[in-house]
C-alpha cells in the first residue's frame, strides 16, 4: 500500500492506494468518530461491492446504514441528494455518523455535500471506485451537485477524513470510463508535471491494459500533484484553478448536450485540446505542442474534437463558468507544456476561433 498525505493542518488526511483495500475495514476504523456509519453508493456499484464492504464493517461491530442512489451524472441533483438525507434521517443517523462514499465522482461529490450539510456537518470518507475519482475528485474537498444552468454550481468545500483508493475495483470499470479517467491523469502532466507527461506517453498502453503497477503509479503521481495544489490553495483563490484545464470548454459540452451524454473526462479531453489551440493563438504553444496535446489524448482513446454546439452556444455556456469574475472569463491555458496559467488575455474572437477550429 502507498500512502500520501493531504497537508491541511488539523484537517490533514491520508490517501491510501493499493489493491484489495476495500476488503480491509481496519483501514477505516481509526477515522471514525463512533461506530455508526452510513455507506452511500449507487445501483451499479452497489451490486458489485456493497455487500462485502458492509459485511466487513459489520464484522468490526459497526452499525451500518445503506443508501443506494440511482446511477449517473443526470442524478447529481437536489432530488437525489435528498434521498441521502431521507436515508440518514429515516435510520436516525446522528451528528457523529460518518458518511462513506462508495462509488465514482458523482457519488463522492454528492456524499461530500450531504456530509457538509447534514446536521451542519458530519465526517466523511471517500472510497473512490473509478479512475477519475481516484486521481481527482475524491481528493481536495470539492463537493457539489449540478443545476440545469450549470455544472457543480451548488456545493461546498468539505474535506474527507480519509481516501481509500482500491486499484482492484478498477477491473470492473467499463473501458469508456477508464479512458475518461485518463483525461484527468493527463491533465496533471500538462499543467505542472512534465516528467509525468513523458511517463504517460511511454506507459499509456499499460494503463489501458489495466496493469495494476502502472495504475497504482498513475494514481499515486496524480494524487501527489493534486495534494500539493490543494495544500497551497484549498479554496481556489489562485493556483487550484489550474486543475480545471479544459474544464470551461468541457463543462459547456456537458451542460449543452445534457448531463451524462458525454462523460466528464471525455469533455475535459476535448476541452484541453481547445485550451491548447487557444494557447497557440496567444503565442505560447507551437503547432508541435498542440499536436502533442492532441496525440496523448488520442493515445488514451479520448475525443479530441468538441461537440458541435456552435460557437455562440459555447460562449453563452462558458459565461456561466465559476471562473467568471466581474463579468470577465478567465481560462486555464498553457504557457508551455507542463506549465498552466489562469488568463483573461484571450479575446472573444480568439476563443471563438479555437472553438470553431476544434469542434
Ligand atoms: P461516475 O461517478 O458517474 O462513475 C462512472 C460510471 O462508472 C458510473 O456508471 C458508475 O456507477 C460506474 N462505476 C463506478 N465505479 C465502478 C466500478 N468499480 N466498476 C464498474 N462500474 C463502476 O463518474 P466519474 O467519472 O467517477 O466522476 C465524474 C464526476 O466527478 C462528475 O460529476 C464531475 O463533475 C466530478 N468531479 C469532481 C471533482 C472534484 O474535485 N470534486 C473533480 C473531477 C470530477
Ligand atoms: N478537479 C478540480 C479541483 O479539484 O480543483
Amino acid at each position: 500500500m502507498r500512502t500520501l498525505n493531504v497537508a491541511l493542518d488539523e484537517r490533514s488526511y491520508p490517501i491510501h492506494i493499493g489493491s484489495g483495500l476495500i476488503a480491509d475495514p481496519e483501514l477505516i476504523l481509526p477515522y471514525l468518530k463512533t461506530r455508526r456509519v452510513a455507506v452511500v453508493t449507487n445501483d451499479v456499484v452497489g451490486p458489485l461491492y456493497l455487500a462485502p464492504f458492509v459485511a466487513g464493517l459489520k464484522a468490526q461491530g459497526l452499525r451500518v446504514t445503506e443508501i443506494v442512489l440511482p446511477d449517473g451524472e443526470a442524478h447529481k441533483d437536489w432530488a437525489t441528494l435528498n434521498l441521502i438525507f431521507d436515508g440518514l434521517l429515516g435510520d436516525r443517523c446522528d451528528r457523529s455518523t460518518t458518511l462513506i462514499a462508495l462509488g465514482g465522482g458523482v457519488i463522492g461529490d454528492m456524499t461530500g455535500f450531504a456530509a457538509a450539510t447534514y446536521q451542519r456537518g458530519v465526517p466523511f470518507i471517500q472510497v473512490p471506485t473509478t479512475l477519475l475519482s481516484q486521481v481527482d475528485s475524491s481528493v481536495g474537498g470539492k463537493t457539489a451537485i449540478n443545476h440545469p444552468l450549470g455544472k457543480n454550481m451548488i456545493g461546498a468545500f468539505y474535506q474527507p477524513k480519509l481516501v481509500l483508493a482500491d486499484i482492484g475495483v478498477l477491473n470492473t470499470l467499463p473501458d469508456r470510463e477508464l479512458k475518461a479517467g485518463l483525461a484527468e491523469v493527463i491533465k496533471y502532466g500538462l499543467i505542472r508535471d512534465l516528467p509525468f507527461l513523458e511517463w504517460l506517453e511511454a506507459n499509456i498502453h499499460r494503463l489501458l491494459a489495466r496493469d495494476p503497477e502502472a495504475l497504482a503509479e498513475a494514481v499515486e503521481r496524480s494524487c501527489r500533484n493534486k495534494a500539493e495544489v490543494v495544500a497551497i490553495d484549498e479554496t481556489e483563490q489562485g493556483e487550484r484553478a489550474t486543475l480545471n484545464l479544459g474544464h470551461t470548454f468541457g463543462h459547456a459540452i456537458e451542460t449543452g448536450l445534457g448531463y451524462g451524454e458525454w462523460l466528464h473526462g471525455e469533455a475535459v479531453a476535448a476541452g484541453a485540446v481547445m485550451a491548447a489551440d487557444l494557447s497557440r493563438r496567444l503565442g505560447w504553444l507551437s503547432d508541435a505542442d498542440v499536436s502533442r496535446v492532441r496525440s496523448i489524448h488520442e493515445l488514451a482513446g479520448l475525443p479530441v474534437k468538441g461537440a458541435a454546439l456552435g460557437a455562440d452556444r459555447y460562449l453563452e455556456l462558458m459565461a456561466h463558468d465559476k471562473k467568471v469574475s466581474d463579468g470577465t472569463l478567465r481560462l486555464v491555458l498553457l504557457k508551455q507544456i507542463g506549465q498552466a496559467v489562469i488568463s483573461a488575455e484571450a479575446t472573444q474572437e480568439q476563443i471563438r476561433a479555437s472553438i470553431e477550429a476544434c469542434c
Side-chain angles (χ1 to χ4, degrees):
M1 186 173 84
R2 309 164 185 223
T3 299
L4 301 171
N5 182 48
V6 184
L8 290 168
D9 299 322
E10 72 288 350
R11 285 171 299 106
S12 298
Y13 53 93
I15 307 168
H16 294 321
I17 302 159
S19 282
L21 304 191
I22 64 166
D24 188 355
E26 291 196 7
L27 291 172
I28 288 179
L29 292 182
Y31 299 93
L32 303 179
K33 216 167 173 179
T34 62
R35 305 189 82 72
R36 191 84 173 81
V37 300
V39 181
V40 183
T41 189
N42 68 32
D43 54 20
V44 169
V45 178
L48 294 169
Y49 300 109
L50 184 62
F53 184 65
V54 167
L57 296 173
K58 285 184 173 167
Q60 298 292 327
L62 303 184
R63 186 169 160 216
V64 186
T65 299
E66 299 174 27
I67 299 172
V68 181
L69 305 179
D71 177 49
E73 185 74 37
H75 293 287
K76 193 178 172 185
D77 58 9
W78 272 116
T80 311
L81 180 74
N82 216 28
L83 296 177
I84 303 181
F85 299 132
D86 290 347
L88 295 173
L89 288 165
D91 222 7
R92 297 182 193 280
C93 292
D94 62 20
R95 297 179 82 175
S96 64
T97 303
T98 299
L99 303 199
I100 303 179
L102 176 69
V106 170
I107 286 294
D109 280 14
M110 282 203 296
T111 306
F113 188 38
T117 48
Y118 184 66
Q119 301 199 6
R120 301 198 182 88
V122 293
F124 93 110
I125 287 172
Q126 291 270 19
V127 184
T129 62
T130 60
L131 181 61
L132 185 141
S133 56
Q134 295 188 354
V135 299
D136 191 352
S137 63
S138 64
V139 176
K142 277 191 182 175
T143 74
I145 56 168
N146 298 328
H147 185 280
L149 290 180
K151 214 177 128 56
N152 294 332
M153 281 293 161
I154 322 290
F157 284 100
Y158 196 67
Q159 299 294 340
K161 299 290 180 200
L162 165 72
V163 178
L164 206 62
D166 185 339
I167 303 297
V169 302
L170 300 180
N171 283 327
T172 54
L173 199 62
D175 274 340
R176 187 177 168 202
E177 298 289 350
L178 185 82
K179 290 172 185 169
L182 288 174
E184 301 281 18
V185 175
I186 293 166
K187 170 187 83 180
Y188 295 111
L190 293 175
I191 64 170
R192 71 191 304 273
D193 191 346
L194 189 54
F196 186 34
L197 181 68
E198 288 162 357
W199 182 87
L200 287 168
E201 287 167 334
N203 289 281
I204 203 94
H205 63 287
R206 292 175 63 207
L207 296 171
L208 289 167
R210 302 174 197 236
D211 172 338
E213 265 309 305
L215 284 169
E217 178 78 12
V219 173
E220 181 184 350
R221 290 175 84 161
S222 299
C223 287
R224 179 168 293 126
N225 274 295
K226 177 116 191 210
E228 283 172 9
V229 173
V230 168
I232 294 165
D233 178 21
E234 182 184 6
T235 56
E236 200 167 305
Q237 305 305 306
E239 183 171 346
R240 184 163 179 172
T242 61
L243 294 172
N244 292 323
L245 177 72
H247 285 57
T248 304
F249 295 104
H251 285 169
I253 296 173
E254 290 184 271
T255 308
L257 291 179
Y259 301 122
E261 191 64 34
W262 278 41
L263 300 182
H264 176 70
E266 293 168 343
V268 166
V273 176
M274 291 192 225
D277 182 89
L278 189 50
S279 306
R280 181 184 59 78
R281 287 173 202 275
L282 290 165
W284 298 336
L285 293 192
S286 64
D287 288 344
D289 289 332
V290 179
S291 296
R292 189 175 179 186
V293 174
R294 192 176 290 113
S295 294
I296 183 67
H297 289 100
E298 273 171 347
L299 280 175
L302 285 159
V304 292
K305 268 186 166 296
L309 301 175
D312 287 340
R313 182 75 175 128
Y314 268 96
L315 292 169
E316 182 191 334
L317 289 161
M318 288 164 71
H320 282 289
D321 191 86
K322 289 195 281 314
K323 284 184 293 305
V324 172
S325 170
D326 250 352
T328 305
L329 177 61
R330 296 172 310 136
L331 289 167
V332 184
L333 300 174
L334 295 173
K335 269 277 168 186
Q336 56 186 24
I337 303 276
Q339 189 196 344
V341 285
I342 302 143
S343 168
E345 279 181 59
T347 63
Q348 286 279 306
E349 291 68 36
Q350 287 170 317
I351 300 172
R352 179 181 289 278
S354 282
I355 293 167
E356 282 169 354
C358 297
C359 294

